[in-house]
Amino acid sequence: MFTLTTERLVLRDFTLGDEDAVHQYASDPVVCRYVDWGPNTLAVTRAFLADATLEAAGVERRSFTLAITSKVDGLVIGSVAVWEVSAAHRRAELGFVVNPKFQGQGYASEAGSAVLELAFARLGAQRVQATCRPENSASASVLTKIGMVEEGRMRAHMVIRGTSVDSLLFAAVQSEIASADFA
């Protein structure tokens, strides 16, 4: 099982036993209001976990969909993912979701920072990008906090529940992150 450890968290591969914890936040309409998935039915949550466990079994992984868990008690707090978008262009993308019970405590920033480093170190990415809805100021704040720069607004970027929505595009470039670490 793949794991990444941070100060307060263990980011690990999902297991089928995570169903109740994942479904708690993935079925919440408030959690899903800014994303193109959910609110999940139990069947959709089970399919997500089946896909995540299949991904984890891959020999040459180019994507990591990880449970964000508390280092103290192992409780599933949310999910964070990073995946290769283009090997040829060394691009990856990241995303995260946190159960509302645990929002506002810096867990998304801690997990996001760890998978950003994973993208550069393990996937060999030179650029990692992420998007969020313009009205999702909490996610925009997390992305900025982990060193990503807002590059612009993509108009009519996605269709969510039948409505075209804009997205803000954020990115981190390895050379800029590396130079900031030595500043």
Side-chain angles (χ1 to χ4, degrees):
M1 177 179 279
F2 179 83
T3 60
L4 263 177
T5 304
T6 68
E7 183 181 338
R8 301 177 297 161
L9 304 171
V10 175
L11 311 179
R12 61 158 174 82
D13 287 324
F14 277 103
T15 69
L16 298 178
D18 295 325
E19 180 181 299
D20 290 340
V22 171
H23 194 63
Q24 183 178 43
Y25 64 80
S27 63
D28 185 339
V30 173
V31 170
C32 302
R33 71 188 179 276
Y34 299 128
V35 294
D36 63 345
W37 54 267
N40 284 7
T41 63
L42 191 52
V44 172
T45 296
R46 287 178 178 151
F48 163 78
L49 289 171
D51 288 346
T53 56
L54 185 63
E55 169 191 288
V59 176
E60 180 58 34
R61 288 179 75 171
R62 305 309 293 165
S63 63
F64 295 83
T65 303
L66 305 171
I68 302 171
T69 67
S70 166
K71 192 185 267 188
V72 173
D73 58 16
L75 193 62
V76 175
I77 293 168
S79 174
V80 64
V82 64
W83 60 97
E84 185 175 71
V85 175
S86 170
H89 299 289
R90 299 177 48 210
R91 286 195 319 258
E93 191 160 340
L94 71 80
F96 53 86
V97 62
V98 173
N99 185 321
K101 293 178 182 179
F102 303 102
Q103 290 176 358
Q105 299 176 51
Y107 295 129
S109 298
E110 194 171 325
S113 183
V115 296
L116 184 59
E117 290 179 28
L118 176 69
F120 292 135
R122 176 114 177 222
L123 298 178
Q126 71 174 1
R127 174 187 168 86
V128 180
Q129 60 190 43
T131 62
C132 70
R133 304 291 73 72
E135 60 276 15
N136 190 348
S137 58
S139 284
S141 177
V142 166
L143 296 171
T144 301
K145 189 174 186 177
I146 67 172
M148 300 183 94
V149 175
E150 184 179 336
E151 294 186 333
R153 184 181 195 116
M154 297 185 295
R155 297 176 303 131
H157 175 238
M158 300 180 78
V159 176
I160 297 180
R161 290 176 266 298
T163 302
S164 267
V165 296
D166 295 354
S167 294
L168 298 179
L169 175 65
F170 290 80
V173 178
Q174 184 181 30
S175 60
E176 293 173 358
I177 295 290
S179 64
D181 289 344
F182 297 110

